Amino acid sequence: MGGDWGVGLALKIIAPLSGWCSSLDEVPDGVFAGRMLGDGLAIDPIAGTLTAPCAGEIMTLPESGHAVSIRSPHGVDVLIHIGIDTVHLGGRGFTARVKPGARVQAGEELIHFDLDLVARGAKSLITPIVVTADGIVLQNRRAPGKVSAGDLLFEIETAAPVASAPSPNAAGERIDAQRTLKIALRQGLHARPAALLARRAKACAARITLAAHGRSADARSVVAIMALGVRRGDELQIQAGGIEAAQAVAAMEAALEEALRSEAVHESVASAAPPAAAAAIAVAARAGRQDGLPGELSGVAAVPGFAVGRAARIERRDIAVSEQGAGAAHERAELERALSHVRLRLQRVRDAGDATRREIIAAHLEFLDDPGLNDGANEQIAAGKSAGFAWRNATRQSIAALQALDDSRLRERADDLLDVEAHVLLALAGEARPMHLPLPEQAVLLADDLLPSELTALDRTRLVAVALSGGGATSHVAILAAAMEVPMLIGLGPALRSIADGQMLIVDADGGRLQSAPTADAIAHARSAVASKNARNAALWAAAMGECHALDGTRIEVFANLGSIADAMAAVAAGAEGCGLLRTEFLFIDRETAPTEDEQVEAYQSIAAALGGRPLILRMMDVGGDKPLRYLPLPREDNPALGLRGVRTGLARPDLMRAQLRAALRVEPHGVVRILVPMVTDVWELSSVRAVIDELCSELGSQERVALGAMIETPAAALTAAAMLRQVDFISIGSNDLTQYTLAMDRGHAQLARRTDALHPAILQLMAAAGAAGEAAGKLVAVCGGVAADRSAVPILLGLGVRELSVVPAAIPGLKRHVGGLRIADCRDLAKRCLGLDSPSEVRAMIEQSGLGGEV
Ligand code: PEP
Ligand code: MG
């Protein structure tokens, strides 16, 4: 293919499409026909493959995939806009084959598009190819007529410097639209608004730059935006160049307004936050106080609490990377592989976590896709460095920029970047971050600072407190510690380093003090305070070993949600009476190939054995949407949450479904396994699965009728629960998805995390419909979504007819005690009153008032 540089400095631009070549005058859009963006030619395409018109770097390629601009090594920008008014298709019909920042060869495929679909939705298919600079003279222009991809379109003399049309920005790029605004956000451009701006910028065709304090940032990069250090009252310049520049500036303004509205919502929620979370959010201005008793260090309580234990340090292992790479293509591919591996792992952690963890992981996922980091790393790779070296350098540069800011909230985000850096470096080395780091019993963890994933990798049963010489009260690790109920002191200063491993310590996070040399008396006193608290907990765990009954004797099964054999063992230790949800998609998530039937039998059998004969509700693989599997590539979907998900994927891939069902049916003893169907919307889906099960049972010679259940995760399933129950033996409410699909709020959306409340009256009404259908049919109604572990929600669920709750293992002892104190008649009465309320906060207030919500 062409794309070679002419000896006389002529840049050859080759046809990126096959079709009919014409003048720009033929384009039914004044912007192109009037040469407002530059001179060029147009092609009416006859095939849906768009290739690079010259070698260079992809400068812009919006998520909608309808336009692309490429910069040649001489700095000439060529813009290609597929069809006219195609931005409105929102990406439908377009599949990008490269990403912004990629370096491509002339003739390399950039975008694939569905010619018919785009033709139906666009004003015209005619595609302008323009050089976006003034003073450029096109030579050897192709005459109108038939053209094949790769044919010469025109040449450009590049001896004279290329002059961008309107005034350039700080990076020397042209600006077609701009606006200067004063930032009204109370916290300035911190992580959340930066992420929102970056997401919106990625959807724009124009290249957008944000500038403040004499610095500028690519608007697609969260880290670059944060590094601008913009505070409330500062001026921010939004500059956009290229196609749809004015729309891009408007999109940035709209994003800032949205961030402002969302900040107001967050602040009102934070002021009503429960004590532990509020403590993590508030910064106690106690640091720097004079120390009192000898050996007493003072710090800031990031999470309140009291503990006695022995000092334990975890050393952060330096991850070795070699500087030299093994070729740019290899290293780029390695980085891509590591990034997608980490993305999958983090998505899994996010999905299994509570709202706090989801919010934090969403921010980490954003860093993985950050163009600032990716561009930085790719530049180093192109210069011969290894993927690890390049990624580390790119993250360290961003960390240095954040640490130079005088805004503590932004400085604390550096820890999140370090965490993401370590995840990727380990993935490059072929390792995963360990799920558990070793700790001695009763450990008070000492460190200069701690990363979120380091904290979650610790064995919670051995950890009594965390004490940091540095740290930030609003850091994500502090928020996580609050969620884990681990007392945490920060800002204890360098003196913390002189404490020897194994030394007895008293951590009084409530009082902001750490005693590093406590007297025997003080230890004894502190121990007895902690012991009485532990005794209460031990009694709770011991009592959890029996069957669970409500106060009036109604049997309520308390089951566990599992994703591994380790979970199954933890569940039994916590008093689980069975497994209410085995997320089978998690068992084989890191694989390149689908698990065989035998491999699945082995995994399911081990979990059944760990459960020691207790029932095992095995959910058929719930893939698609936000749970992609490498071994099951699905076609790109505009809206994956509404696409091939759950049972729909199974029905589309009967081979995989049959292998899984056969494996489930082979688990012994027969009858222990019940099968649960995910994401059901229609009884036909259930009868189809039932038919396959019947066929497999006769293939296996099994007479036993296996119990089948339907997940109630969509409003459709809840409203037709009675019909569903004619097909199945039980139903299980998946409140996580039911909330997402009822409120039309993405369950993984960081900014909406606090509003995705399953106690919204609309969701209560859907659960009430399912509960009533179950009672009428005399069949079990379970809940396996996160709401089952929400103490406030429990009386409502029981009042709506739910008789099985399935939760994370650690929540079981407390849940059993809570249920044991409730009378079903009171629960019914409360549920009835809550169904008529207007908002989740009214529901929560009513539960609080009733006194049935248990201890917080
Ligand atoms: C749910 O949606 O509530 C559920 C339990 O399924 P998952 O969280 O695995 O989607
Ligand atoms: Mg679900």
Side-chain angles (χ1 to χ4, degrees):
M1 195 71 63
D4 46 313
W5 289 87
V7 182
L9 286 175
L11 167 62
K12 294 180 196 305
I13 299 298
I14 59 171
L17 295 156
S18 296
W20 192 265
C21 176
S22 63
S23 145
L24 284 180
D25 299 330
E26 305 297 319
V27 180
D29 183 321
V31 172
F32 291 107
R35 315 295 196 271
M36 286 184 211
L37 290 171
D39 199 3
L41 286 173
I43 296 177
D44 206 347
I46 53 168
T49 302
L50 183 117
T51 53
C54 59
E57 184 185 347
I58 302 299
M59 301 307 289
T60 57
L61 203 171
E63 278 166 356
S64 49
H66 73 291
V68 57
S69 71
I70 181 167
R71 178 168 296 171
S72 79
H74 285 62
V76 175
D77 285 340
V78 181
L79 167 77
I80 308 169
H81 193 280
I82 304 173
I84 300 302
D85 282 358
T86 41
V87 64
H88 304 299
L89 292 174
R92 228 163 345 112
F94 295 97
T95 309
R97 301 289 197 215
V98 290
K99 287 187 182 161
R103 287 174 205 280
V104 296
Q105 292 304 313
E108 195 173 323
E109 186 175 356
L110 304 182
I111 298 171
H112 176 78
F113 58 101
D114 182 330
L115 204 64
D116 292 341
L117 201 154
V118 176
R120 278 199 299 275
K123 184 167 166 188
S124 163
L125 262 185
I126 196 163
T127 298
I129 299 118
V130 299
V131 179
T132 55
D134 279 351
I136 288 265
V137 181
L138 306 193
Q139 296 172 340
N140 294 334
R141 219 183 258 265
R142 189 175 187 88
K146 198 164 165 290
V147 66
S148 298
D151 289 349
L152 182 69
L153 269 192
F154 49 80
E155 286 179 299
I156 302 165
E157 237 0 287
T158 56
V162 174
S164 285
S167 56
N169 67 11
E173 287 152 355
R174 53 178 287 150
I175 303 167
D176 294 306
Q178 61 179 317
R179 180 88 211 271
T180 302
L181 300 167
K182 222 181 200 88
I183 292 300
L185 287 156
R186 196 179 298 280
Q187 311 291 351
L189 285 187
H190 62 97
R192 212 175 288 121
L196 181 65
L197 285 167
R199 256 201 311 277
R200 293 291 154 75
K202 282 182 203 158
C204 292
R207 192 169 173 82
I208 312 171
T209 304
L210 303 179
H213 305 304
R215 294 190 288 267
S216 66
D218 177 344
R220 296 168 305 148
S221 168
V222 184
V223 282
I225 298 173
M226 289 196 296
L228 289 175
V230 174
R231 292 163 163 247
R232 185 182 203 183
D234 287 353
E235 284 200 337
L236 178 76
Q237 239 185 340
I238 307 168
Q239 304 168 328
I243 188 74
E244 289 147 12
Q247 288 99 317
V249 171
M252 293 294 96
E253 280 186 69
L256 285 169
E257 274 166 27
E258 189 181 328
L260 197 60
R261 282 195 301 276
S262 143
E263 188 178 64
V265 172
H266 260 81
E267 282 176 359
S268 64
V269 174
S271 61
I281 291 164
V283 183
R286 212 195 300 264
R289 206 184 46 187
Q290 284 295 307
D291 295 343
L293 299 170
E296 183 174 291
L297 306 182
S298 64
V300 173
V303 182
F306 189 80
V308 190
R310 286 192 185 279
R313 276 175 202 285
I314 52 160
E315 294 305 335
R316 190 170 292 160
R317 189 161 65 86
D318 225 15
I319 307 163
V321 290
S322 61
E323 183 171 344
Q324 281 315 308
H330 171 78
E331 298 298 333
R332 240 193 305 273
E334 276 295 282
L335 183 58
E336 277 296 321
R337 181 191 61 75
L339 289 172
S340 60
H341 182 80
V342 175
R343 196 173 294 119
L344 262 178
R345 270 178 72 89
L346 290 183
Q347 280 164 348
R348 193 170 117 188
V349 178
R350 179 194 67 190
D351 290 345
D354 51 19
T356 312
R357 200 169 299 190
R358 283 209 303 274
E359 201 166 335
I360 292 166
I361 301 292
H364 288 190
L365 282 165
E366 201 67 57
F367 285 141
L368 287 179
D369 291 324
D370 192 282
L373 294 179
N374 280 281
D375 289 354
N378 280 327
E379 259 167 40
Q380 302 246 348
I381 288 175
K385 306 295 183 200
S386 74
F389 187 88
W391 180 255
R392 173 176 278 173
N393 261 6
T395 48
R396 292 291 159 99
Q397 272 172 20
S398 299
I399 287 168
L402 290 179
Q403 281 170 339
L405 299 172
D406 55 357
D407 180 326
S408 63
R409 270 175 180 268
L410 291 172
R411 280 202 309 271
E412 285 163 9
R413 295 288 87 83
D415 279 355
D416 294 303
L417 263 174
L418 261 183
D419 210 350
V420 173
E421 173 193 300
H423 275 297
V424 174
L425 293 185
L426 282 170
L428 279 167
E431 297 172 42
R433 290 211 101 179
M435 295 312 276
H436 286 293
L437 295 174
L439 266 190
E441 295 284 350
Q442 306 263 304
V444 174
L445 181 78
L446 306 187
D448 284 344
D449 52 33
L450 195 64
L451 301 177
S453 67
E454 287 171 339
L455 176 64
T456 52
L458 295 171
D459 181 348
R460 174 67 188 89
T461 61
R462 289 167 176 257
L463 181 66
V464 296
V466 173
L468 304 183
S469 48
T474 58
S475 65
H476 279 151
V477 75
I479 295 169
L480 271 179
M484 290 165 70
E485 294 176 42
V486 180
M488 179 168 173
L489 269 176
I490 58 167
L492 291 159
L496 193 75
R497 292 193 198 129
S498 53
I499 296 177
D501 249 8
Q503 169 80 38
M504 280 308 297
L505 303 173
I506 298 176
V507 179
D508 174 9
D510 297 328
R513 282 186 299 264
L514 179 135
Q515 287 183 39
S516 64
T519 61
D521 263 8
I523 293 174
H525 192 261
R527 277 211 164 120
S528 91
V530 172
S532 52
K533 186 175 154 221
N534 287 347
R536 288 197 299 276
N537 277 345
L540 192 68
W541 277 67
M545 292 306 134
E547 271 192 355
C548 180
H549 293 269
L551 195 57
D552 52 34
T554 309
R555 173 83 170 101
I556 307 293
E557 292 173 336
V558 178
F559 279 23
N561 292 347
L562 310 178
S564 65
I565 298 171
D567 284 351
M569 294 195 286
V572 171
E577 300 167 37
C579 163
L581 170 67
L582 173 62
R583 289 184 165 101
T584 56
E585 63 279 2
F586 285 172
L587 290 173
F588 303 100
I589 199 159
D590 282 338
R591 298 202 21 156
E592 299 287 344
T593 54
T596 63
E597 183 185 319
D598 286 346
E599 284 171 327
Q600 293 186 67
V601 175
E602 197 185 322
Y604 306 151
Q605 190 66 63
S606 321
I607 289 173
L611 288 173
R614 294 170 181 82
L616 167 55
I617 299 180
L618 183 152
R619 181 174 72 182
M620 291 167 64
M621 272 196 268
D622 182 19
V623 289
D626 60 348
K627 287 188 261 189
L629 284 185
R630 249 179 300 166
Y631 63 79
L632 182 55
L634 295 168
R636 182 180 128 27
E637 295 176 315
D638 290 340
N639 198 341
L642 305 180
L644 272 183
R645 254 208 80 172
V647 67
R648 297 171 215 164
T649 322
L651 292 170
R653 285 293 305 266
D655 53 328
L656 294 181
M657 180 169 83
R658 287 175 74 87
Q660 179 170 41
L661 289 174
R662 263 182 77 95
L665 295 169
R666 284 172 55 194
V667 175
E668 288 174 345
H670 293 298
V672 89
V673 165
R674 306 172 192 170
I675 291 167
L676 183 58
V677 188
M679 203 53 62
V680 182
T681 53
D682 197 313
V683 288
W684 164 81
E685 291 161 335
L686 295 172
S687 53
S688 306
V689 172
R690 171 54 84 191
V692 176
I693 292 176
D694 289 347
E695 195 187 313
L696 294 174
C697 280
S698 66
E699 241 176 70
L700 291 165
S702 165
Q703 307 299 325
E704 199 114 12
R705 191 176 183 281
V706 63
L708 185 67
M711 284 201 77
I712 305 294
E713 294 173 288
T714 62
L719 294 170
T720 58
M724 302 268 166
L725 280 160
R726 286 195 282 277
Q727 299 285 337
V728 295
D729 307 289
F730 67 98
I731 53 177
S732 185
I733 298 173
S735 55
N736 308 336
D737 276 313
L738 186 60
T739 306
Q740 150 164 282
Y741 292 116
T742 306
L743 301 183
M745 290 185 190
D746 185 341
R747 60 190 273 185
H749 196 295
Q751 281 173 292
L752 298 176
R754 288 171 198 276
R755 290 186 61 200
T756 47
D757 189 341
L759 291 189
H760 190 296
I763 301 158
L764 294 188
Q765 288 176 29
L766 291 169
M767 294 199 285
E775 290 194 322
K779 292 184 178 175
L780 176 76
V781 180
V783 176
C784 62
V787 74
D790 178 343
R791 283 169 176 279
S792 305
V794 169
I796 306 277
L797 299 178
L798 301 186
L800 295 177
V802 171
R803 294 293 174 266
E804 181 186 298
L805 298 167
S806 192
V807 296
V808 287
I812 289 172
L815 180 58
K816 281 189 164 181
R817 185 182 62 178
H818 183 31
V819 171
L822 296 171
R823 244 181 265 278
I824 298 298
D826 298 340
C827 295
R828 281 194 194 281
D829 181 51
L830 176 65
K832 210 155 131 198
R833 282 185 285 134
C834 287
L835 279 172
L837 298 176
D838 290 344
S839 66
S841 50
E842 283 183 17
V843 172
R844 289 195 179 272
M846 170 86 77
I847 299 167
E848 176 82 35
Q849 219 176 31
S850 73
L852 298 182
E855 297 159 22
V856 182

